[in-house]
Amino acid sequence: MSESEYRQEHADRAVHKTGTGSASQVSVNASTATGGGGAPAHHHGHALASILGPAFVAAVAYVDPGNVAANITSGARYGYLLVWVLIVANLMSVLIQYQSAKLGIVTGKSLPQILGERMSDAGRYMFFMQAEVIAIATDLAEVIGGAIALRLLFGLPLFLGGCVIGLVSTILLWFQGGKTHRLFEKIVIALLLVITFGFIAGLFVDPPNGREVLGGLVPRFKGADSVLMASSILGATVMPHAIYLHSTLVNDHYAPGEEKPDTRQLLRGSKIDVVWALALAGTVNLALLVLAANSLYGMKGTDTIEGAQHAIETALGPAVGTIFSIGLLASSLSSTSVGTYAGSEIMRGLLHIHAPMWACRVVTLVPALVVLWFSSNPTYALVVGQVVLSIGIPFAIIPLMRYTRDPELMGRYRDGMAKHVLFMAVAGLIIALNIVLVYLTLTGRG
């Protein structure tokens, strides 16, 4: 047996024994460990900075225009009442997004891809249909938010603004994948920083009362509508398409043929990536709710984004209102690009169809443009879209919970019992809240 054949056999046995990656991934690691030939290669290690990035792209989904609508409506209507919902949702999202990243790192496959391999044909198509509804609801929020931002900034009609958002986001998607993927990540992260500045600027002009903010950490509701609002916040914070996508992002982060760190390094770096990214996203969401509770509470018309922006201008000045609109525009452009990216991966994994990115863009863009053309209150459609997203969360979480506990898939990296029980508790809480949501909606109490 030659030395190269021995290495390949050793790699194959490692895959069979540990289940810690695909055969191709381990084979690449074995090859790069020897420089692709017979001489050992010199390793310089992998800096943490080279691993960071995927979670920040996924985090954009947590600060999309749907969050703006849900958080501002909540703060303006209920003050600090639902701060605790936002905090709990953000903590749950840290666990969920790390689990998605872990699944992708260990298996080398995305969650939709694993679902597509393990489900029957009928199951795959049914699962894809619900996931596509979620993708449409996601894009609905993002395109509407961007159209509203363009009208606030430049006076564009909503429908025309939606078309501009669709065009620009499609151009951004040209950089996704392959050697330009890192550039795509940098563009999205830059937009995320613009979002952060745009949405927290008002807090520096009119700082909130810290004691009142802390009072919002006490779990409670105030009527059936506050439960619906809590579900909308949950749907805007724990995003189904971000769960599907993160397992892809951790692998697309590296160009074909590029050497990756080992699994332990990737998992360690991914923990830091997720915590930093979602801490930033959580801060933005909290800032939105607190801004509305502090500066807009009780003001009329603040249940729409345009009304909220007008109220912000009135209370804090036109400069803050303009900065808010710029943050909203950046939120729309980045999140709609990431949402289309997720839709493409869902289609590829479940249906085994490699559709062009522009085709995936059109499928989700058209319903949003229809709403912009006919709807008299696009912000309401935005909030309802977040409720739809909330209903779709269990379809992403439950398979992820099963697969990260599966020894065949995860090998020695499978979840321990404590983490699995915690994951079950999170999924149970989300499902219970969704059942309440559906009941309130069907009985007309929402």
Side-chain angles (χ1 to χ4, degrees):
M1 179 184 296
S2 68
E3 184 179 353
S4 60
E5 290 172 334
Y6 172 81
R7 284 195 218 99
Q8 184 61 53
E9 181 180 348
H10 179 73
D12 293 340
R13 286 176 180 174
V15 172
H16 179 74
K17 182 178 180 181
T18 66
T20 58
S22 64
S24 60
Q25 180 183 356
V26 177
S27 179
V28 168
N29 288 341
S31 177
T32 55
T34 59
H42 181 65
H43 283 272
H44 297 284
H46 292 267
L48 176 62
S50 71
I51 300 176
L52 301 181
F56 284 85
V57 175
V60 164
Y62 292 82
V63 289
D64 74 348
N67 292 85
V68 179
N71 293 324
I72 287 184
T73 301
S74 173
R77 189 177 299 174
Y78 299 107
Y80 301 99
L81 179 73
L82 299 178
V83 166
W84 69 274
V85 175
L86 193 55
I87 298 297
V88 169
N90 200 68
L91 290 175
M92 291 192 297
S93 70
V94 171
L95 170 65
I96 293 167
Q97 291 303 140
Y98 173 70
Q99 291 294 91
S100 177
K102 178 181 176 180
L103 181 70
I105 289 169
V106 174
T107 66
K109 300 177 182 179
S110 69
L111 175 57
Q113 188 177 353
I114 296 172
L115 282 165
E117 292 173 352
R118 296 192 164 207
M119 299 177 74
S120 65
D121 288 344
R124 288 190 296 112
Y125 282 102
M126 291 180 66
F127 200 95
F128 172 76
M129 289 175 63
Q130 68 82 25
E132 193 63 24
V133 170
I134 297 302
I136 290 172
T138 301
D139 221 33
L140 179 69
E142 293 153 355
V143 174
I144 288 175
I148 292 173
L150 288 173
R151 183 159 77 175
L152 291 171
L153 290 168
F154 307 110
L156 289 183
L158 287 177
F159 181 80
L160 179 58
C163 293
V164 171
I165 293 297
L167 176 62
V168 175
S169 62
T170 302
I171 293 173
L172 288 178
L173 286 167
W174 285 350
F175 298 102
Q176 178 273 322
K179 294 182 178 180
T180 60
H181 186 79
R182 296 282 179 91
L183 178 58
F184 173 76
E185 289 182 349
K186 291 177 181 177
I187 293 172
V188 171
I189 292 172
L191 290 171
L192 181 58
L193 295 177
V194 174
I195 295 165
T196 303
F197 179 72
F199 290 158
I200 70 173
L203 295 180
F204 294 98
V205 178
D206 185 16
N209 186 307
R211 182 174 297 179
E212 292 180 354
V213 176
L214 291 176
L217 296 177
V218 179
R220 63 195 189 279
F221 292 107
K222 187 179 180 180
D225 186 58
S226 67
V227 178
L228 183 68
M229 196 72 253
S231 181
S232 183
I233 292 174
L234 181 66
T237 306
V238 182
M239 301 291 280
H241 72 284
I243 299 172
Y244 294 123
L245 182 61
H246 204 155
S247 54
T248 299
L249 290 169
V250 291
N251 292 310
D252 285 356
H253 182 68
Y254 298 93
E258 181 181 357
E259 183 187 358
K260 297 181 181 180
D262 62 36
T263 301
R264 284 185 178 277
Q265 287 178 301
L266 283 171
L267 291 175
R268 190 180 303 113
S270 185
K271 286 180 183 178
I272 298 172
D273 195 27
V274 169
V275 170
W276 286 3
L278 293 183
L280 179 61
T283 300
V284 172
N285 284 324
L286 184 60
L288 284 168
L289 192 152
V290 169
L291 174 68
N294 184 55
S295 304
L296 311 181
Y297 182 63
M299 297 180 67
K300 294 182 179 179
T302 53
D303 55 346
T304 68
I305 290 180
E306 291 169 299
Q309 193 268 357
H310 177 71
I312 289 171
E313 281 193 345
T314 302
L316 305 176
V320 176
T322 300
I323 292 171
F324 173 85
S325 299
I326 293 172
L328 180 64
L329 179 60
S331 168
S332 172
L333 288 173
S334 56
S335 56
T336 193
S337 300
V338 171
T340 302
Y341 184 2
S344 173
E345 176 58 30
I346 290 168
M347 181 179 291
R348 185 178 72 87
L350 288 171
L351 302 186
H352 308 146
I353 295 175
H354 294 261
M357 195 66 74
W358 65 264
C360 298
R361 169 76 282 187
V362 169
V363 168
T364 56
L365 178 62
V366 169
L369 294 178
V370 170
V371 171
L372 286 173
W373 185 265
F374 290 104
S375 177
S376 59
N377 185 1
T379 299
Y380 179 73
L382 236 166
V383 175
V384 171
Q386 299 310 302
V387 175
V388 174
L389 292 180
S390 183
I391 295 173
I393 292 171
F395 292 96
I397 289 181
I398 292 175
L400 179 63
M401 180 177 63
R402 289 182 54 200
Y403 293 153
T404 53
R405 176 68 176 165
D406 189 335
E408 181 184 349
L409 277 174
M410 304 298 289
R412 63 194 180 96
Y413 294 105
R414 63 180 292 208
D415 286 346
M417 181 56 68
K419 181 184 282 189
H420 187 63
V421 170
L422 176 62
F423 209 163
M424 289 176 63
V426 168
L429 176 61
I430 293 173
I431 292 170
L433 188 57
N434 285 326
I435 291 173
V436 172
L437 166 67
V438 172
Y439 172 76
L440 292 175
T441 303
L442 293 179
T443 57
R445 301 181 186 180

